[in-house]
Amino acid sequence: MPIHVEQTAGQVSIQLSGEIDHHGARSMMGQLEDAIAARMPTQLTLDLSGVTFMDSSGIAVLLRTLRQMEQLGGTLRVVRIPPQSRRVLDAAGVGRLVTLE
Amino acid sequence: MNIIDQATVAFSSRSANEGFARAAAACFAAQLDPTLDEVADIKTAVSEAVTNAIVHAYPNQLGRITMRLRLLEGNILEVQIKDTGVGIPDVAQARVPLFTTGNEERSGMGFTIMESFMDKLTVRSRVGQGTTVTMRRRIARRAGAAR
Ligand SMILES: Nc1ncnc2c1ncn2[C@@H]1O[C@H](COP(=O)(O)OP(=O)(O)OP(=O)(O)O)[C@@H](O)[C@H]1O
Ligand SMILES: [Mg+2]
């Protein structure tokens, strides 16, 4: 399972793991969307510490998750970002849209 | 510029081959004794170019993708990724950050990432004939390295 979900009240934390490329992104996105729709969190934290590789497909996953959270009136934080993912997110300027910690 | 070593791999435009292409490029680059960060940069740029060939060049069928890896004089890695797919009508426009003809699974940042992770990016394309992306990256010589 590339995603692992934990919940405390309205706060949901989801750990992503493995390689987020075009090959893996669609199934990860589906699982993420389902997990969010089922729990409707007000605060979602995505933990990327288990991500071993990410390319622009991962950017689209984060931006779609952000949109889904905005539609729910909730917030998104992305935490524990490994260096390679961080370089990709920085090159794309994703930090202007999503809170990266 | 002198070519010191060269390897070419060809594969079909299936998404499962994205990981294969990244690993093959990293293996070839290993002879330059790159740092982990340098390897990560090369894999990321390769992933972008190969994903483009898979997603955009051959939208409704499988096609052939060729990746040519070269070690050039001066510790330079050159990666060329070539498809014979639909081609890009306006390369300058395609290279603009956020420009995409893709669906919501795309962000329009692939070329921007290739540019920022490599030293040089060249894109040649002809509509109906295909696209060739060539990237170069100089790998720093490390103190104490054998070469
Ligand atoms: N090999 C190719 N064949 C045909 N068109 C291409 C090719 N590579 C890129 N393109 C075109 O250039 C555009 C920009 O490419 P780029 O990689 O920057 O963004 P993207 O692939 O759309 O999104 P992302 O890479 O962020 O997932 C693509 O949307 C597509 O129209
Ligand atoms: Mg792309």
Short mmCIF file of all heavy atoms in Angstrom, two decimals, chain A residues 56-57, chain B residues 48 52-53 56-57 83 86-88 94 99-102 105-112 114 131, ligand 1:
data_model
loop_
_atom_site.label_atom_id
_atom_site.label_comp_id
_atom_site.label_asym_id
_atom_site.label_seq_id
_atom_site.Cartn_x
_atom_site.Cartn_y
_atom_site.Cartn_z
N SER A 56 7.42 15.24 -11.75
CA SER A 56 6.32 16.19 -11.89
C SER A 56 4.95 15.53 -11.67
O SER A 56 3.98 16.21 -11.35
CB SER A 56 6.36 16.85 -13.27
OG SER A 56 6.20 15.88 -14.28
N SER A 57 4.88 14.21 -11.83
CA SER A 57 3.61 13.52 -11.54
C SER A 57 3.22 13.71 -10.08
O SER A 57 2.03 13.79 -9.75
CB SER A 57 3.73 12.03 -11.85
OG SER A 57 4.15 11.83 -13.18
N GLU B 48 11.39 12.75 -16.40
CA GLU B 48 10.56 13.76 -17.08
C GLU B 48 10.53 13.53 -18.59
O GLU B 48 9.47 13.55 -19.21
CB GLU B 48 11.06 15.17 -16.77
CG GLU B 48 10.94 15.60 -15.31
CD GLU B 48 9.51 15.59 -14.79
OE1 GLU B 48 8.55 15.60 -15.60
OE2 GLU B 48 9.35 15.55 -13.56
N ASN B 52 7.31 12.13 -20.75
CA ASN B 52 6.76 12.92 -21.87
C ASN B 52 6.58 12.06 -23.12
O ASN B 52 5.55 12.14 -23.80
CB ASN B 52 7.67 14.10 -22.19
CG ASN B 52 7.43 15.27 -21.25
OD1 ASN B 52 6.50 15.26 -20.46
ND2 ASN B 52 8.28 16.28 -21.36
N ALA B 53 7.60 11.24 -23.42
CA ALA B 53 7.50 10.37 -24.61
C ALA B 53 6.35 9.38 -24.44
O ALA B 53 5.60 9.12 -25.39
CB ALA B 53 8.83 9.66 -24.83
N HIS B 56 2.83 11.93 -24.03
CA HIS B 56 2.47 12.88 -25.09
C HIS B 56 2.78 12.36 -26.50
O HIS B 56 2.03 12.62 -27.43
CB HIS B 56 3.20 14.20 -24.89
CG HIS B 56 2.95 14.84 -23.56
ND1 HIS B 56 1.70 15.30 -23.18
CD2 HIS B 56 3.77 15.09 -22.51
CE1 HIS B 56 1.79 15.81 -21.96
NE2 HIS B 56 3.03 15.70 -21.53
N ALA B 57 3.93 11.68 -26.65
CA ALA B 57 4.36 11.32 -28.02
C ALA B 57 3.46 10.25 -28.61
O ALA B 57 3.15 10.28 -29.80
CB ALA B 57 5.81 10.85 -28.00
N ASP B 83 11.82 9.91 -29.44
CA ASP B 83 10.61 9.17 -29.82
C ASP B 83 10.28 9.49 -31.27
O ASP B 83 10.78 10.47 -31.83
CB ASP B 83 9.43 9.51 -28.89
CG ASP B 83 8.98 10.96 -29.01
OD1 ASP B 83 8.45 11.35 -30.07
OD2 ASP B 83 9.15 11.73 -28.02
N VAL B 86 4.09 12.03 -32.06
CA VAL B 86 3.32 13.11 -32.70
C VAL B 86 4.12 14.40 -32.91
O VAL B 86 3.78 15.21 -33.77
CB VAL B 86 2.04 13.45 -31.90
CG1 VAL B 86 1.11 12.25 -31.84
CG2 VAL B 86 2.37 13.95 -30.50
N GLY B 87 5.17 14.61 -32.13
CA GLY B 87 5.95 15.84 -32.27
C GLY B 87 5.32 17.02 -31.54
O GLY B 87 4.17 16.96 -31.08
N ILE B 88 6.09 18.10 -31.42
CA ILE B 88 5.64 19.31 -30.70
C ILE B 88 5.54 20.46 -31.71
O ILE B 88 6.54 20.81 -32.34
CB ILE B 88 6.64 19.69 -29.59
CG1 ILE B 88 6.86 18.50 -28.64
CG2 ILE B 88 6.17 20.92 -28.83
CD1 ILE B 88 7.93 18.73 -27.59
N ALA B 94 6.08 25.04 -25.57
CA ALA B 94 6.04 23.84 -24.74
C ALA B 94 6.97 23.96 -23.54
O ALA B 94 6.72 23.39 -22.48
CB ALA B 94 6.39 22.60 -25.57
N PHE B 99 2.95 25.35 -19.04
CA PHE B 99 2.26 25.02 -20.29
C PHE B 99 2.08 23.51 -20.38
O PHE B 99 3.03 22.74 -20.23
CB PHE B 99 3.03 25.50 -21.53
CG PHE B 99 2.36 25.06 -22.81
CD1 PHE B 99 1.34 25.82 -23.38
CD2 PHE B 99 2.70 23.84 -23.43
CE1 PHE B 99 0.68 25.40 -24.53
CE2 PHE B 99 2.05 23.41 -24.59
CZ PHE B 99 1.05 24.19 -25.14
N THR B 100 0.85 23.08 -20.61
CA THR B 100 0.60 21.65 -20.80
C THR B 100 -0.56 21.44 -21.75
O THR B 100 -1.48 22.25 -21.81
CB THR B 100 0.30 20.96 -19.44
OG1 THR B 100 0.10 19.56 -19.67
CG2 THR B 100 -0.93 21.52 -18.75
N THR B 101 -0.45 20.34 -22.52
CA THR B 101 -1.61 19.90 -23.31
C THR B 101 -2.20 18.65 -22.65
O THR B 101 -3.06 18.00 -23.21
CB THR B 101 -1.18 19.55 -24.75
OG1 THR B 101 -0.15 18.56 -24.69
CG2 THR B 101 -0.68 20.78 -25.50
N GLY B 102 -1.68 18.33 -21.47
CA GLY B 102 -2.09 17.10 -20.78
C GLY B 102 -3.34 17.32 -19.93
O GLY B 102 -3.90 18.41 -19.86
N GLU B 105 -3.56 15.15 -14.61
CA GLU B 105 -2.43 14.41 -14.04
C GLU B 105 -1.09 15.06 -14.39
O GLU B 105 -0.04 14.61 -13.95
CB GLU B 105 -2.44 12.96 -14.56
CG GLU B 105 -3.59 12.14 -13.99
CD GLU B 105 -3.72 10.77 -14.65
OE1 GLU B 105 -2.82 10.37 -15.41
OE2 GLU B 105 -4.75 10.13 -14.40
N ARG B 106 -1.11 16.10 -15.21
CA ARG B 106 0.11 16.78 -15.63
C ARG B 106 0.13 18.19 -15.03
O ARG B 106 -0.92 18.80 -14.81
CB ARG B 106 0.21 16.86 -17.17
CG ARG B 106 -0.03 15.53 -17.85
CD ARG B 106 1.22 14.70 -18.05
NE ARG B 106 2.14 14.56 -16.96
CZ ARG B 106 2.22 13.48 -16.16
NH1 ARG B 106 1.43 12.45 -16.32
NH2 ARG B 106 3.10 13.44 -15.22
N SER B 107 1.35 18.70 -14.80
CA SER B 107 1.43 20.03 -14.21
C SER B 107 2.13 21.05 -15.12
O SER B 107 2.23 22.22 -14.78
CB SER B 107 2.14 19.95 -12.86
OG SER B 107 3.39 19.34 -13.01
N GLY B 108 2.67 20.61 -16.24
CA GLY B 108 3.34 21.54 -17.15
C GLY B 108 4.71 21.99 -16.66
O GLY B 108 5.21 23.03 -17.04
N MET B 109 5.33 21.16 -15.79
CA MET B 109 6.62 21.55 -15.21
C MET B 109 7.77 20.66 -15.65
O MET B 109 8.90 20.86 -15.20
CB MET B 109 6.51 21.53 -13.68
CG MET B 109 5.60 22.58 -13.09
SD MET B 109 5.96 24.26 -13.65
CE MET B 109 7.59 24.48 -12.94
N GLY B 110 7.52 19.69 -16.53
CA GLY B 110 8.56 18.73 -16.92
C GLY B 110 9.80 19.39 -17.50
O GLY B 110 10.93 19.14 -17.03
N PHE B 111 9.63 20.22 -18.52
CA PHE B 111 10.79 20.87 -19.15
C PHE B 111 11.49 21.80 -18.17
O PHE B 111 12.73 21.90 -18.17
CB PHE B 111 10.38 21.64 -20.40
CG PHE B 111 10.16 20.76 -21.61
CD1 PHE B 111 9.03 20.89 -22.41
CD2 PHE B 111 11.11 19.81 -21.98
CE1 PHE B 111 8.83 20.09 -23.53
CE2 PHE B 111 10.93 19.00 -23.10
CZ PHE B 111 9.78 19.14 -23.88
N THR B 112 10.73 22.47 -17.32
CA THR B 112 11.32 23.36 -16.32
C THR B 112 12.22 22.57 -15.36
O THR B 112 13.32 23.01 -15.02
CB THR B 112 10.21 24.08 -15.52
OG1 THR B 112 9.34 24.71 -16.45
CG2 THR B 112 10.77 25.10 -14.56
N MET B 114 13.66 19.60 -16.06
CA MET B 114 14.85 19.15 -16.82
C MET B 114 15.87 20.28 -16.90
O MET B 114 17.07 20.08 -16.71
CB MET B 114 14.45 18.72 -18.24
CG MET B 114 13.67 17.43 -18.31
SD MET B 114 13.26 17.02 -20.04
CE MET B 114 11.48 17.02 -20.00
N THR B 131 10.21 13.57 -31.46
CA THR B 131 10.91 14.53 -30.61
C THR B 131 12.20 13.92 -30.09
O THR B 131 12.23 12.75 -29.73
CB THR B 131 9.99 14.93 -29.42
OG1 THR B 131 8.78 15.46 -29.94
CG2 THR B 131 10.65 15.93 -28.49
N1 LIG C 1 7.93 13.84 -26.43
C1 LIG C 1 6.90 14.68 -26.64
N2 LIG C 1 6.05 14.50 -27.70
C2 LIG C 1 5.01 15.34 -27.91
N3 LIG C 1 4.72 16.40 -27.13
C3 LIG C 1 5.52 16.64 -26.08
C4 LIG C 1 6.64 15.81 -25.77
N4 LIG C 1 7.25 16.30 -24.67
C5 LIG C 1 6.54 17.40 -24.31
N5 LIG C 1 5.50 17.61 -25.14
C6 LIG C 1 4.55 18.76 -25.07
O1 LIG C 1 5.12 19.77 -24.26
C7 LIG C 1 4.25 20.08 -23.16
C8 LIG C 1 5.05 20.48 -21.95
O2 LIG C 1 5.81 19.39 -21.46
P1 LIG C 1 6.22 19.35 -19.90
O3 LIG C 1 6.92 18.10 -19.63
O4 LIG C 1 6.91 20.64 -19.56
O5 LIG C 1 4.80 19.40 -19.15
P2 LIG C 1 3.69 18.23 -19.07
O6 LIG C 1 4.28 16.93 -19.50
O7 LIG C 1 2.49 18.69 -19.78
O8 LIG C 1 3.39 18.18 -17.50
P3 LIG C 1 4.37 17.53 -16.37
O9 LIG C 1 5.69 17.22 -17.04
O10 LIG C 1 4.49 18.57 -15.33
O11 LIG C 1 3.69 16.33 -15.90
C9 LIG C 1 3.38 18.85 -23.01
O12 LIG C 1 2.13 19.14 -22.40
C10 LIG C 1 3.22 18.39 -24.47
O13 LIG C 1 2.24 19.17 -25.13
#
